[in-house]
Amino acid sequence: MADLFSSFGVATYLSIFFGAPRRIGGLPTSDPLDPAVRQWRADIATDIYRTIPQFGGFLVKADSEGEPGPYQYGRTHADGANMLAEALAPYGGTVIWRAFVYNSKQDWRDRTTDRAKATSSIAGIAVGFMLDKVGFQSSAEAQTASVQMAIANILLFGVCSLSLVALVIALRFALNKKTHKVLIDEVQRLCEGGDPESVKPEVRRTVESLTGVAYNKLHKFIPEDQVQQDFEDATHADANSSSASKPQQFFSDPDMVTA
């Protein structure tokens, strides 16, 4: 599958189970700061790159919807991401750590809270504030004409305004029909034997903007012999490194980590 995807300029990634060292690795823990766990992850990465030199990296969903993660061991998401990044770093792999953007003060482990409910609550508070300003009386059998007009305006103009805001935001997205066509055309050009060095500057910028990866680091664009050489060099360097060396810190934000 990796060879097939690579022919279209697509790198293969694996969605991994954070608790794998304990579940299938025979270790007593999956603590990201445990030396045995870090070594187990590094060995797995080496095995993968030996088979798939153009391997992209790992996708991780941890401490969410019942999945185990670093918080289970009193560690931060940065600790978990650093462990995986350390294993992939010798081969240029990427860690995609799934994170959710919401109120940073909300404890997402508290199952009595819910992000969707929080959004609804905020909307309710805002509407309630506006109704209070126009004289809305919840105990009244009928509201005055001014209150009725205010409710109508909220429903009409409020919804329209939010829709307009959403449209403006969507138009600012990096991915649109134009940039998508640029990316597809460039992939097609390279698949047909085009020279990566002859890429136009604007195409390079678009490709890097959409992929988040430097153009010359995209796996499809690196010659296979260079990929294999990078793998051999990394394996050799790893074999000569001390197992007692201090773990590298690739990520430092304990609340949200994306890479």
Side-chain angles (χ1 to χ4, degrees):
M1 290 179 65
D3 290 340
L4 176 62
F5 290 147
S6 180
S7 67
F8 291 95
V10 178
T12 301
Y13 284 70
L14 285 180
S15 179
I16 65 173
F17 178 62
F18 192 88
R22 182 180 180 183
R23 179 73 62 85
I24 64 175
L27 299 178
T29 180
S30 293
D31 184 347
L33 296 189
D34 186 283
V37 173
R38 302 181 82 93
Q39 186 59 51
W40 187 86
R41 290 290 189 186
D43 292 342
I44 291 296
T46 298
D47 290 342
I48 292 175
Y49 278 95
R50 182 178 291 113
T51 304
I52 312 173
Q54 70 273 31
F55 182 67
F58 296 139
L59 167 66
V60 188
K61 179 179 182 181
D63 286 314
S64 176
E65 298 179 340
E67 293 295 308
Y71 275 158
Q72 183 177 338
Y73 302 97
R75 312 302 187 186
T76 67
H77 279 209
D79 292 330
N82 280 319
M83 171 192 64
L84 297 172
E86 182 183 74
L88 294 173
Y91 316 107
T94 301
V95 177
I96 303 175
W97 190 276
R98 290 190 55 185
F100 300 95
V101 181
Y102 57 97
N103 183 358
S104 61
K105 301 300 182 182
Q106 178 181 332
D107 185 354
W108 54 266
R109 291 166 291 177
D110 183 357
R111 295 182 181 277
T112 63
T113 64
D114 182 270
R115 287 183 294 277
K117 290 180 180 178
T119 302
S120 177
S121 298
I122 292 173
I125 292 173
V127 172
F129 175 80
M130 290 184 286
L131 291 177
D132 183 62
K133 290 299 182 181
V134 297
F136 179 83
Q137 297 294 327
S138 59
S139 59
E141 294 184 359
Q143 301 295 331
T144 63
S146 61
V147 172
Q148 295 178 24
M149 181 61 68
I151 294 175
N153 288 334
I154 291 173
L155 293 175
L156 177 61
F157 297 107
V159 172
C160 291
S161 298
L162 290 176
S163 298
L164 181 60
V165 170
L167 177 61
V168 171
I169 294 174
L171 291 176
R172 295 171 60 86
F173 286 169
L175 179 62
N176 52 47
K177 289 184 178 180
K178 180 180 179 180
T179 56
H180 180 256
K181 186 177 187 304
V182 171
L183 178 61
I184 294 301
D185 289 347
E186 180 62 11
V187 170
Q188 183 65 33
R189 184 182 75 84
L190 292 166
C191 287
E192 293 175 353
D195 182 11
E197 297 299 327
S198 64
V199 60
K200 297 179 180 180
E202 61 271 20
V203 173
R204 175 189 289 268
R205 287 194 296 270
T206 299
V207 170
E208 292 181 340
S209 172
L210 293 181
T211 62
V213 180
Y215 185 91
N216 60 352
K217 293 295 184 181
L218 294 176
H219 295 280
K220 170 63 184 177
F221 310 147
I222 303 176
E224 290 298 323
D225 56 346
Q226 183 61 50
V227 172
Q228 185 61 36
Q229 184 61 49
D230 289 346
F231 169 76
E232 293 174 358
D233 292 344
T235 303
H236 178 71
D238 184 62
N240 293 331
S241 63
S242 170
S243 59
S245 60
K246 184 179 179 180
Q248 288 182 270
Q249 295 298 305
F250 297 87
F251 311 111
S252 58
D253 188 343
D255 294 322
M256 182 166 295
V257 179
T258 57

